[in-house]
Amino acid sequence: METLMVDCVQSSLRQFMNRNAIFLCERLCAEFPSELNSQLLASCYLHNNQAYCAYHILKGTQLAQSRYLFAISCFQMDLLSEAEAALCPSNETGSEVPNGAAGHYLLGLVYRYTDRRKSAVDHFKQALLIDPLLWAAYEELCTLGAADEASGVFGESAALSIQHQSMYHGSDSQHVQTAIEDRSVLAGRTLGPEEANSRQLKHVHGNSLRDLPVSHHGAAIGVGASSQPLNGGSSTMSVYSTPSPMPSQFSTVAPPPLCRNGQPNMNILGGESSPKSTVNTTIQAPRRKFVDEGKLRKVSGRLFPDSGPRRSTRLAAEAASAASSNSTQGGNGISHSSAKFLGGGSSSRLSSASFRSVTVRKGQSWASESLDDGDDRCLERERGSMQIGGLTPNGSRVTNGVSELLSLLRTLGEGYRLSCLYRCQDALDAYRKLSHKQYNTGWVLSQVGRAHFELVDYLEADHAFILARRATPYSLDGMDIYSTVLYHLKEEMKLSYLAQDLILTDRLAPQSWCAIGNCYSLQKDHETALKNFQRAVHLNSRFPYAHTLCGHEYVALEDYENGIKSYQSALKIDTRHYNSWYGLGMVYLRQEKFEFAEHHFRRAFQINQRSSVIMCYLGMALHALKRNDEALEMMEKAIIADRKNPLPMYHKANILASLERFDEALENLEELKESAPHESSVYALMGRIYKRCNLPAKAMLHYGLALDLKPSAADTAVIKSAMEKLHVPDELEDSL
């Protein structure tokens, strides 16, 4: 009965019938109370996004797998200290982290979000040593700016590790299978067919419950929660009933059902899914990981407006045939774990072959079974010949598969690493080495769009994100960045359409509400924009970009205190989120706290040393601190970093004018007029310089040109005031 109930629970999970699985598993735990069955019940609740239930079920349990599942539930409930205690019991010095690579990865996330960067890096690296294919750990290392070159991580040592583990687990699977078959034959001779079949079935499930929660690398096989992937910054929160701040122009769209669009991995405790993808969907730490807003939104103020391992088809067919021929047993007695490695590998083929040989024998009458030693020796010779004949070709296939997969990960990993270091052109060059099939996937195209965004090439970024949407219209990864691209391009209609489309796809994703917030920010409705960004924070408090966008809106509303709090909240999640360092610098610059401004701009610059905007504002802070030589040097770097950005050239001219190097200043401004002919501030500055050079006619001309370009009301008042005082000496003007 216990085995039957376990089968029913697992079947319900595979068919996404979570409530049915929970009901049956509760009956199972009531009838057969054990920690293993409690694990299964907790897993059912995790599948159903009820981490708090799993938390109470597993609290105080001791088995490694129980502690891992308990830690996952704690992580989802933001109980990070309890998650750490479960993974590293204080009373067990030197104890191993449960679940191998997956456990180290989860512990790394706990350390990351409790601001212990070094420990986080150590555990992410340890996870990769155990499982070189745990891509999520490499992503986190890139986000932390601590990743080694991909060629080293996914190189020869990784290949040897994977092949060694494949051979080890293949051999282990073969020994386990042989033992099961021998026990079945012996039981059949002693007990009779029906009782033997029942005994074998119970034995197999007893082993699978102990072994299958841990994958080949020690990662959990399936504790997934319904959500989006980790590298998309997804939310682990349940359905919220917070009121929607969307005004009337979005109300024409029928509200979608309150459910997430992602699909959980339901192959729990015996499924055939990749352990890496399972851990990602379970833990859901946002990276944000990771590539953030890029060039900052209001850069110029008033001056310049702004695959899982696949089994061979042949092997699958053989397994199906074997299962069919043995249908009277109610179960084939084979652990699927041996087939999870890179095309099945040699162990999968050997297991299938051995099973076929036993099945033929079981198809005969048990009464006529010969008991002499000759049959046993024949069977052993048969098994030995199959091992020798089957190992070499499959071993070669494993080697080739490992080589091809690691080559792909090296290219993807290097591109992502360079992108996180903001070496965006190098990242684009790396992604171009991918095959056509791999390049034209949603994830890669989103990364390409992010890279162009950081390079302030918004048109190319728009094009890349359009292709990403076409490739994976259901994915929200990078859509927060895409909405900011459209914000900068002032594409109000496209941005509105994107926001509505994202809400229809998943109304519980922070990216959807970031897009809506950008819609209202573009319309200068900062209060409504702020409400939408706050909803994004509510849905996923570990999404740093949402905190940063809240900070931008608070600053636009001149609520600097809350703006500072929002930026600091983003930095608690991701200390390399340079946008928030920049935002803090802007607040202090406006408050004329120039030393604080210089410190925060410099922190942003240390993270992203290729941003012309950050260099420019750092130069402005240095100029305000009377460190003009450093300011001019920084402006020169900003000009070289982005020739199309007019801001650093303007401020360089302003610094030169303050140093009374008027000829150099005018030369810079004449060059700037060629690239930015419609900027009224350029002509206004030229008018001021000509006045100081005692050339009132030229000054009046340039003031007039500035007014013709229809500047803002505040700038218009300043220019008119300067025109009225044109004939007043500078010394007298300063005293007025």
Side-chain angles (χ1 to χ4, degrees):
M1 178 179 172
E2 181 179 8
T3 302
L4 177 61
M5 293 181 75
V6 169
D7 280 345
C8 290
V9 170
Q10 293 176 348
S11 175
S12 294
L13 291 175
R14 284 193 294 271
Q15 298 175 62
F16 308 100
M17 299 171 64
N18 297 331
R19 291 181 59 192
N20 192 63
I22 291 171
F23 175 82
L24 291 173
C25 203
E26 285 179 343
R27 310 283 77 71
L28 170 68
C29 291
E31 190 71 27
F32 304 101
S34 71
E35 189 167 326
L36 291 175
N37 288 338
S38 295
Q39 286 179 16
L40 184 58
L41 179 58
S43 301
C44 292
Y45 278 118
L46 286 171
H47 274 293
N48 207 41
N49 271 343
Q50 292 177 275
Y52 51 89
C53 295
Y55 172 87
H56 288 290
I57 291 169
L58 296 174
K59 190 173 180 64
T61 51
Q62 298 300 321
L63 292 180
Q65 178 67 7
S66 299
R67 290 190 287 117
Y68 175 75
L69 294 177
F70 179 72
I72 286 203
S73 64
C74 291
F75 187 89
Q76 292 191 7
M77 297 168 66
D78 208 25
L79 302 173
L80 300 185
S81 60
E82 290 192 58
E84 180 182 354
L87 294 170
C88 298
S90 57
N91 58 347
E92 297 179 23
T93 55
S95 62
E96 292 188 2
V97 175
N99 254 6
H104 282 284
Y105 172 71
L106 177 56
L107 189 55
L109 290 177
V110 170
Y111 284 134
R112 178 190 167 187
Y113 292 124
T114 51
D115 199 22
R116 287 175 282 178
R117 181 180 182 277
K118 185 179 183 301
S119 296
V121 169
D122 290 343
H123 282 280
F124 289 138
K125 288 185 175 181
Q126 183 63 30
L128 275 173
L129 283 176
I130 298 171
D131 181 1
L133 300 182
L134 188 51
W135 169 260
Y138 189 72
E139 269 190 328
E140 291 295 331
L141 288 171
C142 291
T143 302
L144 292 171
D148 298 326
E149 289 188 11
S151 57
V153 176
F154 303 110
E156 293 183 4
S157 59
L160 291 173
S161 174
I162 295 169
Q163 291 172 19
H164 173 75
Q165 291 178 31
S166 176
M167 291 175 61
Y168 173 80
H169 288 287
S171 174
D172 183 66
S173 174
Q174 177 66 25
H175 290 317
V176 171
Q177 177 59 34
T178 302
I180 291 173
E181 292 164 359
D182 290 345
R183 182 173 296 193
S184 301
V185 172
L186 180 60
R189 291 171 179 172
T190 307
L191 302 173
E194 291 185 3
E195 191 174 356
N197 292 341
S198 175
R199 180 74 59 87
Q200 181 194 11
L201 188 63
K202 186 169 183 178
H203 170 77
V204 170
H205 281 288
N207 277 291
S208 65
L209 282 173
R210 290 172 176 80
D211 300 335
L212 292 183
V214 180
S215 76
H216 292 295
H217 305 300
I221 293 296
V223 197
S226 176
S227 61
Q228 292 174 267
L230 174 68
N231 58 3
S234 59
S235 169
T236 60
M237 312 301 250
S238 58
V239 175
Y240 287 95
S241 59
T242 53
S244 169
M246 295 171 58
S248 57
Q249 64 247 54
F250 292 107
S251 63
T252 56
V253 181
L258 290 177
C259 60
R260 299 198 68 85
N261 205 36
Q263 292 187 352
N265 175 8
M266 293 301 172
N267 296 319
I268 187 164
L269 298 176
E272 290 187 306
S273 64
S274 164
K276 291 158 282 301
S277 63
T278 301
V279 174
N280 290 349
T281 55
T282 302
I283 296 174
Q284 312 207 355
R287 297 185 291 80
R288 319 43 273 164
K289 350 151 196 177
F290 55 53
V291 180
D292 294 314
E293 178 183 10
K295 300 303 174 189
L296 304 139
R297 288 178 34 192
K298 299 177 177 65
V299 296
S300 57
R302 291 185 302 137
L303 175 59
F304 295 107
D306 318 67
S307 63
R310 56 191 176 279
R311 178 183 292 198
S312 143
T313 305
R314 178 181 59 78
L315 292 177
E318 291 171 353
S321 173
S324 175
S325 65
N326 196 31
S327 58
T328 57
Q329 267 192 282
N332 59 24
I334 295 182
S335 167
H336 294 294
S337 61
S338 63
K340 289 179 189 169
F341 255 127
L342 302 170
S346 58
S347 61
S348 175
R349 181 175 177 182
L350 290 175
S351 296
S352 297
S354 301
F355 178 63
R356 285 200 305 276
S357 68
V358 175
T359 303
V360 170
R361 297 183 65 194
K362 290 177 182 176
Q364 302 169 358
S365 168
W366 284 97
S368 63
E369 184 72 48
S370 173
L371 302 179
D372 64 305
D373 293 337
D375 284 344
D376 291 337
R377 286 195 295 271
C378 290
L379 182 59
E380 290 300 324
R381 284 197 298 270
E382 183 183 352
R383 284 179 180 154
S385 65
M386 281 187 289
Q387 289 180 6
I388 296 171
L391 183 60
T392 303
N394 281 297
S396 174
R397 184 164 53 190
V398 168
T399 301
N400 292 337
V402 169
S403 177
E404 292 173 6
L405 178 55
L406 290 177
S407 176
L408 173 61
L409 292 180
R410 279 195 296 273
T411 306
L412 292 170
E414 191 62 12
Y416 190 72
R417 184 183 74 88
L418 292 169
S419 182
C420 288
L421 294 175
Y422 301 102
R423 295 168 54 183
C424 297
Q425 190 56 56
D426 294 336
L428 289 172
D429 293 339
Y431 288 132
R432 290 190 186 103
K433 296 177 184 177
L434 292 167
S435 67
H436 179 77
K437 289 187 293 186
Q438 288 292 336
Y439 185 87
N440 288 289
T441 56
W443 187 87
V444 173
L445 290 169
S446 290
Q447 296 302 321
V448 170
R450 291 172 189 264
H452 283 298
F453 172 73
E454 294 289 349
L455 293 170
V456 203
D457 192 349
Y458 297 133
L459 290 175
E460 282 297 323
D462 181 27
H463 178 65
F465 279 118
I466 287 173
L467 294 178
R469 292 284 293 160
R470 193 175 301 163
T472 53
Y474 48 84
S475 174
L476 276 68
D477 182 38
M479 292 301 103
D480 49 326
I481 301 297
Y482 184 31
S483 68
T484 304
V485 169
L486 298 177
Y487 171 94
H488 283 298
L489 292 173
K490 303 190 186 304
E491 292 278 5
E492 190 172 333
M493 188 65 69
K494 288 176 70 174
L495 182 52
S496 176
Y497 176 80
L498 174 68
Q500 293 184 58
D501 199 25
L502 295 181
I503 283 292
L504 287 171
T505 302
D506 188 352
R507 68 180 297 112
L508 297 179
Q511 294 92 334
S512 303
W513 297 97
C514 286
I516 296 174
N518 274 331
C519 278
Y520 291 112
S521 186
L522 183 57
Q523 297 167 11
K524 308 299 182 186
D525 186 353
H526 298 296
E527 291 185 356
T528 306
L530 178 60
K531 290 178 183 178
N532 285 279
F533 294 140
Q534 286 173 333
R535 182 173 174 90
V537 169
H538 185 58
L539 287 169
N540 188 349
S541 60
R542 295 193 185 114
F543 195 61
Y545 192 33
H547 289 281
T548 299
L549 292 174
C550 285
H552 290 340
E553 298 308 313
Y554 277 124
V555 171
L557 293 168
E558 299 186 356
D559 184 352
Y560 298 130
E561 182 179 353
N562 281 316
I564 290 172
K565 289 180 181 178
S566 292
Y567 292 135
Q568 290 173 341
S569 295
L571 292 173
K572 286 179 182 177
I573 302 164
D574 183 3
T575 56
R576 296 188 72 250
H577 190 71
Y578 76 87
N579 317 78
S580 289
W581 290 111
Y582 164 85
L584 288 168
M586 288 297 295
V587 170
Y588 292 126
L589 192 64
R590 292 191 181 192
Q591 294 178 335
E592 298 186 357
K593 298 177 180 178
F594 300 123
E595 290 185 354
F596 286 174
E598 188 257 340
H599 168 76
H600 288 87
F601 285 135
R602 195 170 293 281
R603 288 295 301 268
F605 176 65
Q606 289 169 352
I607 297 167
N608 185 353
Q609 300 185 15
R610 287 167 173 77
S611 171
S612 174
V613 175
I614 294 176
M615 294 179 200
C616 180
Y617 277 97
L618 177 55
M620 290 169 62
L622 292 169
H623 172 55
L625 293 169
K626 309 299 182 186
R627 292 155 62 181
N628 291 314
D629 290 340
E630 293 177 67
L632 284 172
E633 182 182 353
M634 192 58 63
M635 291 301 175
E636 287 290 351
K637 288 182 179 179
I639 292 169
I640 294 170
D642 185 3
R643 295 284 182 184
K644 295 181 288 186
N645 184 4
L647 194 61
M649 191 170 288
Y650 173 86
H651 284 291
K652 178 185 175 183
N654 197 29
I655 296 170
L656 291 170
S658 71
L659 297 173
E660 297 187 356
R661 293 160 62 176
F662 299 126
D663 291 340
E664 294 177 65
L666 288 170
E667 183 180 345
N668 271 272
L669 291 171
E670 288 292 342
E671 184 180 346
L672 183 55
K673 280 200 308 185
E674 299 298 322
S675 58
H678 302 295
E679 292 295 343
S680 62
S681 298
V682 174
Y683 295 96
L685 179 56
M686 292 180 75
R688 184 155 59 89
I689 293 173
Y690 280 125
K691 179 192 174 185
R692 296 187 66 182
C693 292
N694 294 319
L695 296 170
K698 286 191 174 182
M700 182 63 75
L701 171 64
H702 284 83
Y703 281 141
L705 290 172
L707 288 176
D708 290 342
L709 291 171
K710 301 186 185 316
S712 66
D715 287 341
T716 299
V718 172
I719 294 169
K720 286 183 177 179
S721 175
M723 293 174 72
E724 292 171 359
K725 299 175 183 177
L726 191 59
H727 297 287
V728 178
D730 291 338
E731 299 81 9
L732 185 57
E733 182 181 344
D734 292 338
S735 65
L736 292 176

